[in-house]
Amino acid sequence: MEVYSVVSYLSSFLTILYVVVVIAFIRGWHKLNNFKPSVIQGRTAVTIIVAARNEEAIIEKTIKDLIAQNYNKDLTEIIFIDDHSTDNTAEIIERYKINGVKLIRLNEDKALNSYKKKAIQTAIGQSQGKLIVTTDADCRMGVNWLSTIVNFYEEKGYKMISSPVAYFEEKSFFERAQSLEFLYLIGLGASTIGNNKPSTCNGANLAYEKEAFYEVGGFKGIDDLASGDDELLLHKMAARYEQRIGFLKNTDAVVYTHAKPTLSAFIQQRKRWASKSTRYKNKSIIVLGVCIWLFNLSILLNIGIGLFIGFYLKLALFQLLAKITVEFLFLLDVTNFAKRRKLLVMLPVLNLLHILYIVYIGIAGNSGKYNWKDRMVK
């Protein structure tokens, strides 16, 4: 019975901790003001960098969106880096040379583990802009996207700016479920920046000063990991430039992309994202992540024990209720910002599945390899 008592006390502690953490996320989100751009035209030279591999099906839409930006064309440079595509990606990019779109072909004879970091670093080395803005080859954005980012940068003077990313054009329940979970992750990253403890961001919508990139050593020290061109770079920037990281809370700054169509593709993506945690320098982020993982594990354990001892089933239900309630309060604001509040009806149904997913990814993402762009990497 002593073992069961330990499980009970530990479960209660982890539940309280999780509630406190999510309340801190809510506070962090509210600390971020909705940014209202000024009417003053931006004066900063910008380089937009897009690493692409086998994106022929979607990349033309991304190119057209970038060309259509209402920011000063004389101050805008668009660079695509073709990462050894085996389809017509490079040929499609070349068609837009007349529109000022530049193409760099990545030529690496020896195998790398981080082709994307190599691609971005190569493009930065040839860039003319003061401000680097990265996005992905399968993303869409409105015409005010770039001007809003520049306006925010010039007003605030941040060294790095994380901006919102959202899924759109969902075709199934599974994709809508991903949209809700992804908004949670984006809101989490934004709130940690609001609390001046940056932990996560998304490279599909990220901006930073070129000078700052070189001052922190670029991707040196993290270039042996396939992923992390966004999050691990954020950690390096935050360590060097305290309180100089910003989150752009404005709907014009949102970049849109698609959820994964299959469970297999989703798992590979999340294993890639989770793999970055093995290189965190900030131990408090690691400890917090482990505690959240243990909280989710404790719910599953209590459900299992509860099949034989009724008290633990009640404890698991209490944990689930606390989790759903506090996440609902957090997502209420985040989904309102994204104009996707209807997704909240899925929260109770998805919660148990989300717990299983967290426990699995916490293990799988920190061991073994995963598939990314038709390559097995780690």
Side-chain angles (χ1 to χ4, degrees), residues 81-97:
I81 316 95
D82 177 53
D83 177 10
H84 305 90
S85 292
T86 56
D87 63 5
N88 293 319
T89 295
E91 288 73 15
I92 294 171
I93 297 169
E94 283 186 324
R95 293 176 198 163
Y96 292 88
K97 185 177 181 180

Side-chain angles (χ1 to χ4, degrees), residues 180-220:
L180 183 61
E181 190 258 354
F182 190 59
L183 284 173
Y184 183 91
L185 295 177
I186 295 298
L188 183 158
S191 68
T192 61
I193 293 174
N195 286 325
N196 290 316
K197 298 182 184 297
S199 66
T200 184
C201 61
N202 196 297
N205 205 0
L206 191 62
Y208 42 87
E209 288 184 352
K210 179 164 65 175
E211 183 180 346
F213 175 81
Y214 285 121
E215 284 182 357
V216 300
F219 296 124
K220 185 178 180 181

Side-chain angles (χ1 to χ4, degrees), residues 280-318:
Y280 286 175
K281 299 293 184 183
N282 190 331
K283 302 305 178 186
S284 63
I285 298 177
I286 298 174
V287 171
L288 181 60
V290 170
C291 287
I292 291 174
W293 183 82
L294 287 172
F295 165 66
N296 284 276
L297 179 64
S298 72
I299 297 175
L300 293 181
L301 290 175
N302 285 329
I303 291 174
I305 299 172
L307 297 175
F308 306 96
I309 304 174
F311 168 77
Y312 290 94
L313 188 58
K314 292 178 182 178
L315 179 57
L317 290 174
F318 166 74

Side-chain angles (χ1 to χ4, degrees), residues 18 22 26 173 176-185 296 319-335 340-355:
Y18 185 75
V22 179
I26 295 171
F173 173 85
R176 287 192 294 276
Q178 290 179 65
S179 286
L180 183 61
E181 190 258 354
F182 190 59
L183 284 173
Y184 183 91
L185 295 177
N296 284 276
Q319 289 181 286
L320 269 172
L321 182 61
K323 183 176 185 292
I324 292 170
T325 301
V326 75
E327 288 177 357
F328 175 82
L329 294 174
F330 176 52
L331 283 167
L332 198 63
D333 292 323
V334 179
T335 54
R340 299 298 305 275
R341 188 167 276 188
K342 289 182 179 179
L343 290 172
L344 284 174
V345 298
M346 305 171 70
L347 186 62
V349 178
L350 292 176
N351 235 273
L352 190 56
L353 293 175
H354 188 250
I355 292 167

Side-chain angles (χ1 to χ4, degrees), residues 126-170:
Q126 298 184 34
S127 66
Q128 302 297 316
K130 175 183 179 182
L131 184 68
I132 303 297
V133 180
T134 66
T135 189
D136 290 340
D138 58 353
C139 288
R140 305 296 306 277
M141 57 283 294
V143 295
N144 295 319
W145 170 69
L146 186 59
S147 60
T148 305
I149 292 173
V150 175
N151 205 304
F152 186 65
Y153 166 72
E154 292 183 346
E155 181 175 316
K156 304 295 184 181
Y158 291 125
K159 294 293 184 179
M160 174 178 268
I161 298 167
S162 172
S163 297
V165 183
Y167 291 151
F168 77 143
E169 297 179 344
E170 302 94 335

Side-chain angles (χ1 to χ4, degrees), residues 241-266:
Y241 304 109
E242 191 174 350
Q243 297 188 3
R244 301 291 298 279
I245 312 297
F247 181 85
L248 177 45
K249 198 175 181 182
N250 183 291
T251 53
D252 280 339
V254 178
V255 155
Y256 297 92
T257 188
H258 294 95
K260 295 301 178 183
T262 66
L263 179 61
S264 175
F266 171 77

